[in-house]
Amino acid sequence: MRLLHNPKIEFMSLRKTTFIISGILILVSLVSLILHGGPRFGIDFRGGSFIELRFEDSNNPQTLLDIPIDKVRQIFVDHGLENSEIKHYGTNQDISVQLDVETLADSSVVNTVFSGLQSAFPDYNIIERRRESVGPKIGQELVTDAILAILASMALILVYIMFRFEFRFGVGAVLALFHDIIITLGIFSLLDIEITVPIIAALLTIIGYSLNDTIVVFDRIRENLKMFKRHVAGYTNLVNRSINETLSRTIVTSGTTLIVVAVLYFFGGEIIKNFAFALICGVIIGTYSSIFVASPVLVEWEERKASKVAVKKR
């Protein structure tokens, strides 16, 4: 399925500019992460308690309600839970509560808070839809395991591509993956979105997707290497040619994937909204990095190698 007929875009002539753009995005992401003290981990990682409540009209449960969040928050403050993070979840009649300690695991505390809420909202039925509690030790283990999973996947990718192609191909692919992960985390940090287990799953999915797109380009470069003389100008043209030859495939693959994850984001419900958003960021950034990060690394590598050879000949 070819959308573009024989494109001849000079991608590598833009590599200096795109390196600057990527550098700025990475810098902004790192600064945001540093200012926020790292990623904002969800309850799965930091430990604590979570409870989800739904308010329903006693006379007509189908009525959509607009529950004032400040009034709900005041009930928790009155019961000594001023550190609770309380917000609407999905609709204005659904309330989520997060605590940094396992307070909600204590049934007496839960019953006391429920009584206070019922007194403040006598005309509504308050339904507990979900409750979770995670210890801080387990949360820390999950953080460590998540980081190790991402680093291990990148190390294995480097080894695989090094044997399948060349070492520099592996370096380009891994740099592109680090680029994708850091910028995605930076976006989540700037938007103050929590990093949960589904988001880690999305990050690992992004690694796989971006790598697949990169390998397609690398494979075409390897095929074209057999047909062109390997010198600097020719190598740059070869990389441009390879990207242009796979451009239609890249647009179709990324476009159809974006359609699916966009549908998940807008219509999949609140629970998977952040997961879908992470995939949207990853698909866009991953497609960009396959063209403007991974491939230019090969050109820069070849240029530096050629310069060293030229110096030795002198």
Side-chain angles (χ1 to χ4, degrees):
M1 185 176 182
R2 184 173 294 276
L3 296 179
L4 303 174
H5 180 68
N6 195 26
K8 295 182 179 180
I9 304 172
E10 295 292 329
F11 291 103
M12 292 305 100
S13 64
L14 302 172
R15 68 182 186 276
K16 302 294 185 183
T17 302
T18 56
F19 280 158
I20 293 173
I21 293 173
S22 294
I24 292 173
L25 292 175
I26 290 174
L27 180 62
V28 171
S29 298
L30 291 175
V31 169
S32 177
L33 288 168
I34 292 171
L35 292 178
H36 285 86
R40 181 178 169 229
F41 290 112
I43 190 173
D44 300 333
F45 295 108
R46 71 172 185 264
S49 300
F50 173 88
I51 188 169
E52 184 182 327
L53 305 173
R54 164 160 283 192
F55 290 72
E56 292 185 351
D57 193 311
S58 302
N59 299 319
N60 187 3
Q62 303 302 320
T63 302
L64 296 177
L65 306 176
D66 188 2
I67 303 300
I69 199 73
D70 292 338
K71 189 174 181 180
V72 175
R73 185 176 291 111
Q74 188 59 47
I75 302 299
F76 283 84
V77 172
D78 293 342
H79 288 82
L81 302 176
E82 58 275 356
N83 292 326
S84 304
E85 182 180 322
I86 302 169
K87 59 185 179 182
H88 285 119
Y89 186 81
T91 68
N92 286 343
Q93 68 188 86
D94 296 319
I95 304 292
S96 70
V97 181
Q98 294 190 28
L99 298 175
D100 290 334
V101 293
E102 296 182 82
T103 307
L104 292 179
D106 187 341
S107 59
S108 62
V109 174
V110 174
N111 293 334
T112 303
V113 174
F114 265 47
S115 298
L117 288 172
Q118 199 63 71
S119 299
F121 299 92
D123 297 330
Y124 301 142
N125 291 326
I126 303 176
I127 303 170
E128 181 182 335
R129 303 180 65 191
R130 175 184 169 199
R131 190 194 304 185
E132 295 180 3
S133 187
V134 179
K137 184 176 180 180
I138 296 176
Q140 186 59 46
E141 289 178 355
L142 286 173
V143 172
T144 302
D145 291 344
I147 294 173
L148 289 176
I150 293 175
L151 292 178
S153 64
M154 290 188 175
L156 291 173
I157 286 167
L158 177 61
V159 173
Y160 167 75
I161 295 182
M162 185 174 63
F163 282 100
R164 177 77 186 274
F165 297 92
E166 298 176 24
F167 177 71
R168 60 175 172 175
F169 284 79
V171 172
V174 170
L175 286 177
L177 294 180
F178 270 113
H179 169 277
D180 301 344
I181 296 299
I182 291 173
I183 293 179
T184 301
L185 288 175
I187 292 173
F188 271 65
S189 178
L190 289 170
L191 299 178
D192 200 29
I193 300 175
E194 289 185 342
I195 303 298
T196 59
V197 170
I199 300 305
I200 297 300
L203 292 178
L204 291 172
T205 303
I206 289 168
I207 289 175
Y209 181 89
S210 179
L211 177 65
N212 179 67
D213 202 31
T214 301
I215 286 179
V216 169
V217 177
F218 282 180
D219 196 50
R220 185 56 61 90
I221 292 174
R222 184 175 60 176
E223 290 178 0
N224 287 337
L225 277 172
K226 301 173 183 178
M227 303 168 57
F228 291 86
K229 187 176 179 181
R230 197 162 168 171
H231 55 84
V232 176
Y235 195 82
T236 301
N237 293 332
L238 180 145
V239 173
N240 276 324
R241 180 188 181 96
S242 301
I243 296 174
N244 280 297
E245 288 176 350
T246 57
L247 190 59
S248 291
R249 179 263 176 204
T250 299
I251 293 173
V252 171
T253 304
S254 300
T256 52
T257 305
L258 272 177
I259 291 173
V260 173
V261 293
V263 170
L264 284 176
Y265 179 79
F266 290 108
F267 304 106
E270 194 69 24
I271 293 177
I272 63 172
K273 193 169 187 177
N274 288 340
F275 173 80
F277 179 70
L279 290 180
I280 290 173
C281 295
V283 170
I284 296 173
I285 298 169
T287 302
Y288 167 88
S289 67
S290 296
I291 297 174
F292 293 111
V293 177
S295 298
V297 166
L298 303 182
V299 174
E300 292 292 330
W301 191 298
E302 184 72 15
E303 284 190 353
R304 294 176 188 277
K305 181 180 177 181
S307 297
K308 290 180 180 179
V309 171
V311 169
K312 289 182 180 180
K313 287 183 178 180
R314 292 176 186 175

